[in-house]
Amino acid sequence: MGNTILSDQIVTNNEETAIRILLVDDHTMFRDGLARMLEKEADFTVTGQAGSATEGLAVLIQGDATLVLLDVDLGAERALDFVRGARGGGFEGHILILTAGMSDQEAVQLVQASVSGILHKHHSTDELCHAIRQIAGGEVYMEPAYLASLFRAMDRTRGPKQAILTVRDKTILRSILQGLSNREIAAKLTISEGAVKASVRHVCEKLSVRTRSQLVKVALEQYKDQL
């Protein structure tokens, strides 16, 4: 009896902590294969699928996804259509862009719209799962190739008042822009993971943002010449 109760509790806890994923991709075969692969992971649950931005927004409203895997090219629509619609509708979950390639301008627009990461489709499924878990943990995932594009393409827009960044602030921001996790930053700086989390919170407060994706956006828009 006791073992049965414990088993039920474990199932319940897994359901509560699972990363709930919505897939939005206009290639049905790719989408179905990706769904089957993700469902093999104990901490992933695919809650829905869609083949267009319009369909995806409808599924998002009706479902309970916490993370969206979003193809950048949706035929007649683009990922940006979905992202703007989702954010405008109040979705505060994570959005990871999957792409076979995009323009610098589109990468900039997606970051400005607060996506949590950009991943190229040529990567392995292990790397995709790593990116999903990193983003679900509140971090960002940005490939160096797209990061370079963002630095080249981002306008040098600055607010009237800029915060003064310390050497530690700049190091933390550079590390986040490189796509490093808190654990990787801690190892790089030989400090505790708790100290990294505190530093990230401090930088977020200093730049008046709440999430790492917003932090990336502001850093690229206003502070890239300091990084």
Side-chain angles (χ1 to χ4, degrees), residues 10-129:
I10 290 173
V11 170
T12 300
N13 289 339
N14 286 342
E15 290 176 350
E16 291 177 350
T17 59
I19 301 169
R20 301 188 298 278
I21 302 170
L22 168 63
L23 303 180
V24 183
D25 192 297
D26 64 332
H27 293 92
T28 304
M29 188 178 297
F30 173 81
R31 197 174 67 236
D32 288 345
L34 185 57
R36 286 193 294 271
M37 182 277 294
L38 293 174
E39 286 286 8
K40 293 179 181 179
E41 301 295 319
D43 55 337
F44 294 169
T45 298
V46 177
T47 62
Q49 298 186 38
S52 68
T54 301
E55 182 184 354
L57 290 171
V59 175
L60 186 67
I61 292 172
Q62 297 171 0
D64 61 349
T66 56
L67 186 146
V68 180
L69 285 185
L70 178 62
D71 184 18
V72 73
D73 186 355
L74 298 170
E77 297 176 300
R78 301 293 291 180
L80 191 60
D81 299 317
F82 176 91
V83 176
R84 286 173 173 168
R87 296 307 187 202
F91 178 66
E92 297 182 352
H94 309 288
I95 301 176
L96 173 59
I97 300 296
L98 298 180
T99 179
M102 73 175 89
S103 68
D104 290 354
Q105 180 182 6
E106 191 164 22
V108 171
Q109 290 173 328
L110 287 165
V111 170
Q112 288 176 326
S114 296
V115 300
S116 302
I118 298 174
L119 177 73
H120 202 284
K121 284 185 174 182
H122 68 218
H123 280 295
S124 67
T125 54
D126 286 344
E127 185 64 21
L128 172 60
C129 290

Side-chain angles (χ1 to χ4, degrees), residues 205-220:
E205 291 171 0
K206 182 177 285 189
L207 302 189
S208 300
V209 300
R210 294 185 301 168
T211 67
R212 288 170 88 107
S213 57
Q214 292 172 345
L215 190 60
V216 168
K217 175 179 179 293
V218 171
L220 288 171

